[in-house]
Amino acid sequence: MRPLKLSPVVGILTVLAFTPLPTVGHAETSVPAVFGSGMVLQRELPIVVWGQDAPGTPVRVSVANREAAAKTGSDGRWRVTLEELRAEGPHVMTVRGSSTLRFDDVLVGEVWLCSGQSNMEWPVREALNPEAEIAAANHPRIRHLKLNHRASRKPTDDVDTQGTWQTCSPDTVANFTGVGFFFARYIQAQLDVPVGLIGSNWGGTRSEPWIPPGGFK
């Protein structure tokens, strides 16, 4: 596994794919909650998709003109890697196993993990001039996914989310991370690509839980 570098592009969908998967026994195709309609996939990096199904089930994933297949192991786990895509969309992603999942309005662009404490969690509705900012927030190529507060002593393959991916509009932006929103608006204007924000933040938490055990060693 390559070390994660702090660079202008964070391929969080790729990073999350290296966390361990639990053993499952159900016979239905599933993927983590970070995948969904309206999501943004990281551009110009291999696209990793993973999930669970019945043991021995062939699984095929397709998006745009990319396709990859795998077969689940005895523990029901599967993972595929699709070739990278340029910033574009919208696309449809399908995952076909013992059942079929379809995700619409999928964009490819910049994906950023908005992690930290209260400064990152602070929402747009409490920023400066919130009424004007919210009214002008018509940015359909900015998407946001908010994670719930959940503590875990070990990495997991899935996340708890507050709903699904949201498209930035005056109706949705009020609860976006303010830092993330203003940052996304800026880099979208500079790069002219879709931007996905994953709001993994929790005000008042200590720094230690955000650091992997290897970091202390």
Side-chain angles (χ1 to χ4, degrees):
M1 175 180 171
R2 296 179 302 173
L4 177 61
K5 297 180 180 179
L6 296 178
S7 65
V9 178
V10 179
I12 186 60
L13 298 186
T14 300
V15 173
L16 287 176
F18 290 99
T19 56
L21 294 165
T23 301
V24 295
H26 57 75
E28 185 172 301
T29 310
S30 65
V31 295
V34 73
F35 295 101
S37 293
M39 66 180 165
V40 181
L41 300 173
Q42 177 60 47
R43 63 175 177 150
E44 299 174 12
L45 283 176
I47 301 169
V48 181
V49 185
W50 69 101
Q52 305 166 2
D53 209 324
T57 301
V59 178
R60 184 172 297 275
V61 180
S62 61
V63 59
N65 58 345
R66 304 289 191 262
E67 188 170 87
K71 180 179 286 188
T72 60
S74 59
D75 57 1
R77 300 181 298 178
W78 61 268
R79 188 179 77 176
V80 301
T81 302
L82 294 86
E83 294 180 10
E84 62 190 50
L85 288 167
R86 294 181 178 275
E88 54 185 5
H91 300 300
V92 173
M93 174 183 281
T94 57
V95 182
R96 296 182 175 90
S98 57
S99 58
T100 298
L101 304 175
R102 176 188 169 103
F103 304 122
D104 297 307
D105 193 24
V106 176
L107 302 181
V108 181
E110 294 284 293
V111 180
W112 287 81
L113 179 63
C114 303
S115 184
Q117 301 176 320
S118 56
N119 285 346
M120 185 63 76
E121 192 170 27
W122 197 268
V124 173
R125 67 176 183 274
E126 297 182 28
L128 290 176
N129 305 313
E131 293 84 3
E133 295 291 356
I134 291 171
N138 186 23
H139 302 285
R141 295 199 299 164
I142 295 177
R143 310 290 173 82
H144 180 269
L145 179 68
K146 172 63 176 173
L147 306 190
N148 283 320
H149 295 165
R150 187 182 74 171
S152 176
R153 293 184 177 274
K154 61 178 68 175
T156 66
D157 72 309
D158 206 347
V159 290
D160 290 331
T161 63
Q162 293 183 12
T164 57
W165 283 89
Q166 292 188 310
T167 299
C168 181
S169 73
D171 294 328
T172 62
V173 75
N175 293 321
F176 286 19
T177 159
V179 171
F181 166 69
F182 293 116
F183 172 75
R185 191 176 66 180
Y186 173 79
I187 64 170
Q188 187 185 68
Q190 300 299 310
L191 302 176
D192 191 27
V193 298
V195 180
L197 304 172
I198 299 177
S200 174
N201 33 64
W202 192 342
T205 51
R206 297 177 63 88
S207 59
E208 289 85 352
W210 296 95
I211 303 173
F216 289 106
K217 297 179 180 179

